[in-house]
Amino acid sequence: MSFLNDLEPLKQSALADLKAASDLAALEQTKGTYLGANGKFTALMKQLGTLAKEDRPAAGKIINQTKADLENALAERRSELELKAALPKEPTDFTLPGRLRSLGKLHPLTQVSDDIVRAFRKIGFAVADGPEIEDEFHCFDALNTPADHPARDLQDTFYINMLGTSRPNSTDGTSAARSLLRTHTSSVQIRVMQKQPPPVRIISLGRVFRRDNADATHNPTFHQIEGLYVDKNVTVGDLKGTVEFVFKELMGSDVKVRFRPHYFSYTEPSFEIDFSSSLVKKMGKDWLEIAGCGMVHPQVFENVGYDPEVWSGWAFGFGIERIAMIRYGINDIRLFYENDVRFLKQF
Ligand code: DAH
């Protein structure tokens, strides 16, 4: 068992060398010196065969234990050296101030929306919500716009095949359950009136979808705000007063509004609202068309189960992008959706 006498000194020198390795490359080298194919320890192991048969199990056990010890020492030193390599070479001053992250801010459309909501809250309006994926009934039929109504062409829209709906899509004009991306927020009027008895005083803001090509003033997706007021003895005067109040809150006290006769199938009479202010003048115009509105059509009240002999009301809808463009002097609607921080930072 002579070579076993060499084992302990070899182990001690290997452990010392592994500990002394000053970096990972030196460690690999030391590993090779002892445990590599031609290493000193490997050479010793090869002598196992020269022992008498009955001595081999005991010797094998010692050798294996030694090998395990060396491998443990190797792994331990390796993780020490890896940690050392990962630490900064230069001393770190932990008292230095941190790096400032630039703070984000609200999107201009969100800012305008928040201001609109604030203005309406002042006069007692609540905010209502409705789905972006609507059905034809809420988007058109209940708003007195049946399938053969020409007004539907103006809002030619995105219909959706809903998997698993009980009524399949049909083209016969009676498909009240056909789903579509809502073309306006007016659908929320219907949803609110179906859910609660009058009086009603709500606004609703959200995304709408049209099959429009994008250009400086159009985008297939944009945002609208809808307003609905139902009570007894409501007049066009109430509508005009409300609109004037809100636009003054939003755009400054020099705002003027004017109503022009128009047509919407869910209001009678109907108007378009033009507005004028110093901001509009800056854009080189006297008046800008900004919204549609009118007195709620008796048929709409019938459709939601309100008695049109008792209740009266007004409704309006306008585009939020339009307001933001005037307010901030933005000349291309597409800028709102590009997520370019250089643009967004300005508001
Ligand atoms: N829904 C109309 C549109 O998208 C806007 C509108 C007009 C809403 C008249 C109304 C209204 O509530 O009474 O162009």
Side-chain angles (χ1 to χ4, degrees):
M1 300 250 291
S2 66
F3 79 89
L4 285 184
N5 298 333
D6 301 335
L7 197 59
E8 188 56 27
L10 188 66
K11 176 180 166 184
Q12 291 311 325
S13 92
L15 289 177
D17 286 356
L18 288 172
K19 251 211 172 86
S22 58
D23 57 28
L24 287 165
L27 189 69
E28 282 310 305
Q29 194 141 32
T30 310
K31 178 187 166 191
T33 309
Y34 290 96
L35 296 168
N38 299 313
K40 294 180 191 171
F41 182 76
T42 317
L44 217 53
M45 267 170 47
K46 283 180 188 156
Q47 294 184 39
L48 195 60
T50 66
L51 290 183
K53 208 172 177 194
E54 62 274 21
D55 293 335
R56 279 183 211 163
K61 204 171 158 195
I62 298 174
I63 288 178
N64 280 338
Q65 182 56 48
T66 309
K67 191 175 182 206
D69 289 347
L70 292 183
E71 277 169 353
N72 280 340
L74 174 71
E76 198 176 307
R77 184 62 184 153
R78 183 179 285 136
S79 62
E80 276 172 18
L81 290 173
E82 278 171 356
L83 183 64
K84 200 174 130 195
L87 288 175
K89 311 271 172 294
E90 302 291 323
T92 305
D93 180 355
F94 292 105
T95 65
L96 285 174
R99 282 196 198 100
L100 264 194
R101 260 175 210 246
S102 61
L103 270 187
K105 27 164 49 176
L106 294 177
H107 192 280
L109 291 178
T110 309
Q111 292 186 39
V112 170
S113 300
D114 287 353
D115 288 347
I116 294 171
V117 170
R118 209 170 293 129
F120 274 101
R121 283 231 166 101
K122 283 188 186 172
I123 47 176
F125 280 70
V127 177
D129 203 10
E132 289 175 2
I133 298 178
E134 255 302 355
D135 54 57
E136 262 181 311
F137 175 76
H138 289 91
C139 201
F140 297 128
D141 300 77
L143 287 161
N144 203 25
T145 318
D148 57 359
H149 198 288
R152 281 212 192 186
D153 293 347
L154 299 172
Q155 304 205 356
D156 200 6
T157 185
F158 301 107
Y159 288 92
I160 297 172
N161 273 320
M162 299 276 270
L163 289 174
T165 41
S166 50
R167 287 184 58 186
N169 288 351
S170 69
T171 49
D172 62 3
T174 61
S175 49
R178 267 219 291 185
S179 296
L180 48 88
L181 296 179
R182 66 178 178 192
T183 57
H184 53 183
T185 44
S186 303
S187 51
V188 186
Q189 290 184 29
I190 303 300
R191 291 195 172 268
V192 168
M193 289 191 284
Q194 281 179 324
K195 242 192 325 223
Q196 70 167 84
V200 175
R201 210 184 282 176
I202 58 106
I203 53 169
S204 185
L205 296 86
R207 201 171 283 180
V208 301
F209 308 84
R210 305 244 175 120
R211 224 192 57 185
D212 274 338
N213 291 322
D215 61 25
T217 52
H218 295 86
N219 199 64
T221 305
F222 61 102
H223 299 78
Q224 280 190 335
I225 172 181
E226 193 78 15
L228 174 68
Y229 179 40
V230 183
D231 209 330
K232 289 179 176 152
N233 305 317
V234 177
T235 68
V236 176
D238 299 318
L239 171 57
K240 196 160 185 208
T242 307
V243 168
E244 237 164 38
F245 167 77
V246 169
F247 277 104
K248 284 196 160 127
E249 288 276 310
L250 282 177
M251 307 291 228
S253 52
D254 69 333
V255 159
K256 284 198 195 81
V257 293
R258 106 184 152 181
F259 281 29
R260 261 184 305 106
H262 198 71
Y263 174 81
F264 296 104
S265 48
Y266 29 97
T267 42
E268 182 59 36
S270 303
F271 310 95
E272 271 191 335
I273 306 173
D274 293 342
F275 109 119
S276 172
S277 74
S278 51
L279 289 167
V280 174
K281 299 247 157 66
K282 256 192 219 154
M283 297 169 87
K285 301 201 167 131
D286 285 336
W287 295 96
L288 265 187
E289 171 202 322
I290 194 97
C293 66
M295 302 305 288
V296 180
H297 197 292
Q299 186 60 50
V300 174
F301 282 147
E302 297 271 7
N303 293 345
V304 296
Y306 285 10
D307 182 352
E309 297 298 328
V310 178
W311 302 103
S312 49
W314 53 248
F316 70 80
F318 58 78
I320 293 173
E321 278 81 349
R322 197 83 199 262
I323 306 277
M325 286 170 84
I326 298 167
R327 186 189 214 184
Y328 299 122
I330 295 166
N331 58 11
D332 194 323
I333 194 171
R334 292 166 292 195
L335 290 164
F336 288 123
Y337 318 115
E338 286 172 353
N339 283 337
D340 186 333
V341 281
R342 291 168 303 177
F343 169 75
L344 296 171
K345 258 187 188 161
Q346 304 172 69
F347 309 102

